[in-house]
Amino acid sequence: MITTAQFYHHFLENPTVSTDTRNITPGCIFFALKGDHFNANEFAAQALEKGASFVVIDEEIYAINEKCLLVEDVLTALQNLARYHREQLNIPVIGLTGSNGKTTSKELVNAVLTERFKTFATFGNLNNHIGVPLSILSITHDVEIAVIEMGANHQKEIELLCSIAQPTHGIITNVGMAHLDGFGGFEGVKKGKAELYAYLKENNGYTFINRDNAHLMEMSATSGLNKLIYYGTENGNTIKGNLKSSDPFIEVEWTNHDVSSVVKTNLTGSYNFENILAAICIGDFFDMNPEEINIGLANYQPKNNRSQLTKTDHNTVICDFYNANPSSMTAALNNIAVLSADKKSAILGDMFELGPESNLQHEKIAKQAFDSGLNQLILIGKYFYALKDQFDALFFETPAEAAAYIQQNPIENHLVLLKGSRGMKLESLLQYL
């Protein structure tokens, strides 16, 4: 079996990693991962044929030549290699997690820091036990600061990701009603996310905390953190901010050292105020001046269907259908309620991974949506459909059924909130709006 140190020598000579034979590039190292329904060991020879320099396998039967590196477990080898690479990097690494706003916060922090530093940030949402190692292995030696997003749907996952990314700084955006099934309820969510605080405490790291968030304050006190940098809306924080406007785009006034500044962003949704404030706080911590910070924020363009305002031929659509949970649904409905528009609609899809809470949480969101004074409410998915006799709204079991209805009954000149869990694939409806 090859050791991690020997493995790293190969990686330095071939610093591109792939886990998908469809994305093989000449000279890369292919990791033959396994899943419930696939065994990439079977594609080792194919990866070599496509130009991989080495393939990493854990079944000796597939070792056809010296380019096949045999390990005990491919996933563990990938994680160990990433951990080893991280230990060679003498740079700040900002670990970022939370129930909502992780990816937007990561992008905002990256947008700010990039104004001064050579920055690496997690690509897309490569934030799990496979994605984080791949992200770490993508950090080159000219990078000055890295921002690593860490997602989790069960306890001990953040702990594992911290052992790989080894953050020197960290932030939990918030804790909410997400992945309740895997975490075992809201208290389980708090316990799981607090694993980042535990790592920072043990390793004398810095922690950025939203002082307005009672849950985060409680978690930080319990964790015994001592290197704390606060942001929020009250005096006494390193960064104090207030939301000047959010209709439709967010404008923030913020203060540090008695110097005030105002920044206009391209983000919609008042719930993004705290994400913007977090990015300001992190930029300020790394000695960036207000002008640099504001330029980074002002130039950031939301994407990936997260709080993205899109004008179609007929409507203005808040594209927020990358994912959903009760906390983010509540925030999105609160936001559309205060936006200016002659007519408003919401098209909401089921929220996944809520376990025993599913029925109750869907009923709560349906009631909030129904009470929001919308001109039209469309609810899609089996959990929402089960409520069809309780609310005066349009219910469909699938997006295809909703699409057929919208084609026959067009929505025009509305502000439309389009939001649901990723698996609902609500993007299919955008073409009809």
Side-chain angles (χ1 to χ4, degrees):
M1 297 283 181
I2 188 171
T3 67
T4 301
Q6 291 170 328
F7 206 158
Y8 193 64
H9 176 74
H10 290 307
F11 171 73
L12 291 177
E13 294 181 345
N14 307 274
T16 304
V17 168
S18 175
T19 60
D20 189 334
T21 52
R22 294 170 296 184
N23 300 321
I24 296 294
T25 56
C28 74
I29 299 176
F30 174 70
F31 283 79
L33 296 172
K34 292 177 182 175
D36 292 337
H37 305 292
F38 67 90
N39 179 1
N41 281 273
E42 299 171 359
F43 304 107
Q46 183 183 121
L48 290 173
E49 290 172 7
K50 287 188 171 184
S53 291
F54 295 96
V55 295
V56 185
I57 58 174
D58 50 20
E59 295 183 21
E60 193 170 2
I61 187 177
Y62 296 102
I64 59 174
N65 57 34
E66 71 283 352
K67 291 186 176 182
C68 297
L69 306 178
L70 184 64
V71 297
E72 191 169 321
D73 179 80
V74 171
L75 176 59
T76 301
L78 175 66
Q79 294 170 341
N80 286 342
L81 180 64
R83 193 176 286 113
Y84 193 92
H85 180 57
R86 167 65 185 100
E87 289 166 356
Q88 316 311 309
L89 302 169
N90 186 26
I91 60 171
V93 172
I94 302 167
L96 189 153
T97 190
S99 296
N100 301 303
K102 286 188 299 297
T103 300
T104 298
S105 294
K106 176 256 300 181
E107 294 293 342
L108 288 169
V109 171
N110 183 46
V112 167
L113 294 177
T114 299
E115 289 300 311
R116 178 177 290 193
F117 302 100
K118 170 72 173 177
T119 308
F120 173 88
T122 299
F123 179 75
N125 67 329
L126 288 173
N127 62 13
N128 65 4
H129 61 295
I130 298 172
V132 167
L134 292 176
S135 295
I136 295 296
L137 289 169
S138 298
I139 301 175
T140 54
H141 285 278
D142 59 339
V143 167
E144 296 173 290
I145 300 179
V147 187
I148 301 297
E149 180 181 336
M150 297 186 288
N153 57 21
H154 59 268
Q155 290 172 33
K156 297 298 183 182
E157 192 165 7
I158 295 296
E159 181 181 277
L160 168 67
L161 300 181
C162 283
S163 77
I164 298 169
Q166 300 170 34
T168 54
H169 303 69
I171 179 171
I172 301 175
T173 58
N174 50 55
V175 286
M177 306 288 281
H179 304 296
L180 297 180
D181 196 18
F183 279 113
F186 181 62
E187 289 302 315
V189 174
K190 290 166 63 177
K191 184 177 179 181
K193 298 300 182 183
E195 290 165 14
L196 174 58
Y197 285 172
Y199 181 89
L200 293 168
K201 170 67 169 70
E202 185 178 342
N203 293 276
N204 204 29
Y206 291 89
T207 309
F208 304 97
I209 296 182
N210 180 359
R211 206 173 206 152
D212 297 341
N213 190 307
H215 294 304
L216 297 180
M217 291 297 289
E218 174 202 339
M219 290 159 59
S220 67
T222 303
S223 300
L225 295 165
N226 47 32
K227 289 187 174 180
L228 301 172
I229 304 96
Y230 293 108
Y231 60 95
T233 57
E234 303 295 332
N235 292 326
N237 294 306
T238 300
I239 297 295
K240 175 188 174 183
N242 68 80
L243 183 62
K244 285 180 65 71
S245 175
S246 61
D247 192 4
F249 298 112
I250 296 177
E251 184 177 355
V252 173
E253 181 178 25
W254 61 278
T255 305
N256 186 26
H257 307 305
D258 298 323
V259 177
S260 292
S261 182
V262 175
V263 59
K264 295 180 179 180
T265 74
N266 297 299
L267 277 166
T268 189
S270 56
Y271 47 85
N272 276 310
F273 165 65
E274 60 190 49
N275 300 330
I276 293 167
L277 216 55
I280 293 170
C281 186
I282 292 172
D284 176 79
F285 176 85
F286 286 102
D287 295 324
M288 296 182 66
N289 61 53
E291 183 180 6
E292 291 172 316
I293 292 170
N294 288 347
I295 288 173
L297 292 171
N299 288 340
Y300 172 70
Q301 295 288 342
K303 53 194 175 189
N304 298 328
N305 303 313
R306 293 177 172 90
S307 305
Q308 191 172 338
L309 204 65
T310 300
K311 290 190 178 296
T312 68
D313 290 340
H314 306 291
N315 300 288
T316 299
V317 182
I318 303 172
C319 296
D320 199 7
F321 45 80
Y322 185 84
N323 220 334
N325 57 55
S327 300
S328 65
M329 277 283 200
T330 296
L333 287 168
N334 288 340
N335 178 62
I336 193 173
V338 300
L339 294 180
S340 300
D342 293 333
K343 296 179 181 178
K344 300 178 186 180
S345 296
I347 303 174
L348 308 180
D350 274 357
M351 303 171 287
F352 296 167
E353 296 185 60
L354 298 181
E357 291 271 327
S358 293
N359 293 330
L360 175 62
Q361 295 301 328
H362 281 85
E363 184 176 356
K364 285 183 176 180
I365 294 301
K367 185 178 188 311
Q368 182 188 356
F370 180 73
D371 291 341
S372 295
L374 298 164
N375 296 93
Q376 188 169 60
L377 174 61
I378 297 175
L379 300 171
I380 308 169
K382 69 175 185 178
Y383 289 109
F384 278 133
Y385 192 76
L387 304 169
K388 65 183 185 299
D389 296 328
Q390 296 184 42
F391 301 97
D392 184 15
L394 295 167
F395 291 86
F396 301 97
E397 292 188 275
T398 67
E401 293 173 8
Y405 174 85
I406 295 170
Q407 285 178 278
Q408 294 296 317
N409 303 273
I411 300 172
E412 297 184 345
N413 301 315
H414 280 225
L415 175 64
V416 182
L417 170 63
L418 186 59
K419 186 169 181 63
S421 278
R422 187 71 199 90
M424 290 301 297
K425 299 181 180 179
L426 293 188
E427 66 272 16
S428 63
L429 299 179
L430 188 58
Q431 61 183 309
Y432 306 114
L433 298 172

